[in-house]
Amino acid sequence: MDDASRDGLSDADLLARHVAGDPDAFGEIVRRHRDRLWAVALRTLGDREEAADAVQDALVSAYRAAHTFRGQSAVTTWLHRITVNACLDRARKAASRRTAPLAETERLEQLIEPHESAAAPAERGDLHRELVQALATLPPDQRAALVLVDMQGYPVAEAAEVLDVPVGTVKSRCARGRARLLPILTHLRPRGGGSPPSDGGRNRSQGTSVPPPAGQSDTDPVKGGGGRA
């Protein structure tokens, strides 16, 4: 089947073709969704190499487990769930072996602005340091929920599908995460009572959320499918 014909197939059709032995079908699924999987992984882990490895692990798992997909959710939700689980596994392992809090802060710096120039204003650098230090205080489960809902803009119901937990659990994790961040970040909120600018996300939750970074670009594709071969 040529590329043009493959473009017209749904994700579920491509996954079924992959299971049936089409050698190129899974590659098309990766091409369609790799950038968003990468963005979620980078924002959850805050380290480009760890994120690339997590995406690689997730795609290998999805490739091998494709025959278990039953269509109870969208393929993209299934892929995001596998990716988030891979990220949480890596975050927990990193937490268990962490010896230097500064190293974690340096990795999380990229969560806020992975392409920040070294010549950026000092004020912005100070803001980033405070934000990453605040995010570093959250448990991985709360951080993952906030990344999906407040930073990636997922509706709570869809984030619940990705995380494979009840909607109430996502709401609870977000609420606890925001409550932990609020005392740390209150002084960073703009004064004057104006409405915050829209960041064009899919979902904007009411209440306090993680402040969105300005000019962020974290959808760089993972070269070669991401991570080490």
Side-chain angles (χ1 to χ4, degrees):
M1 176 177 290
D2 58 27
D3 291 344
S5 300
R6 205 172 284 113
D7 285 343
L9 295 175
S10 69
D11 291 340
D13 289 338
L14 285 169
L15 202 61
R17 285 178 177 270
H18 163 65
V19 172
D22 185 334
D24 300 316
F26 194 79
E28 173 63 18
I29 292 175
V30 171
R31 185 189 69 79
R32 291 180 182 182
H33 301 291
R34 180 177 55 196
D35 289 358
R36 292 198 66 202
L37 299 178
W38 163 248
V40 168
L42 180 60
R43 284 181 156 181
T44 301
L45 292 170
D47 177 83
R48 300 181 74 81
E49 184 174 347
E50 285 285 307
D53 287 346
V55 172
Q56 177 76 358
D57 292 346
L59 291 175
V60 170
S61 296
Y63 183 94
R64 293 173 175 171
H67 65 283
T68 68
F69 180 75
R70 295 291 180 262
Q72 295 175 337
S73 62
V75 171
T76 183
T77 300
W78 178 72
L79 289 172
H80 277 72
R81 180 183 305 152
I82 295 173
T83 301
V84 169
N85 286 337
C87 290
L88 293 179
D89 285 345
R90 286 185 170 272
R92 293 184 185 110
K93 289 175 183 176
S96 68
R97 64 175 181 263
R98 185 181 307 137
T99 58
L102 179 59
E104 175 70 2
T105 298
E106 289 170 347
R107 288 198 301 271
L108 283 173
E109 187 81 44
Q110 296 180 58
L111 186 152
I112 300 301
E113 186 66 72
H115 303 303
E116 181 69 17
S117 167
E123 295 83 359
R124 185 166 180 79
D126 291 342
L127 171 63
H128 285 182
R129 279 189 289 275
E130 293 193 61
L131 287 172
V132 298
Q133 287 168 2
L135 286 165
T137 67
L138 297 181
D141 289 349
Q142 290 178 18
R143 192 189 309 172
L146 283 177
V147 165
L148 289 173
V149 175
D150 283 358
M151 301 181 76
Q152 289 297 115
Y154 276 82
V156 171
E158 192 170 345
E161 283 194 69
V162 169
L163 296 171
D164 198 22
V165 297
V167 168
T169 299
V170 175
K171 291 180 178 179
S172 176
R173 289 177 182 176
C174 287
R176 290 200 302 269
R178 291 170 188 145
R180 292 182 66 163
L181 292 180
L182 181 59
I184 305 172
L185 302 179
T186 297
H187 66 288
L188 303 179
R189 294 171 65 86
R191 296 178 174 83
S195 300
S198 171
D199 64 356
R202 297 167 58 195
N203 180 66
R204 296 299 301 163
S205 342
Q206 293 182 347
T208 303
S209 61
V210 178
Q216 172 143 335
S217 175
D218 60 359
T219 55
D220 298 343
V222 181
K223 295 180 180 178
R228 294 186 291 268

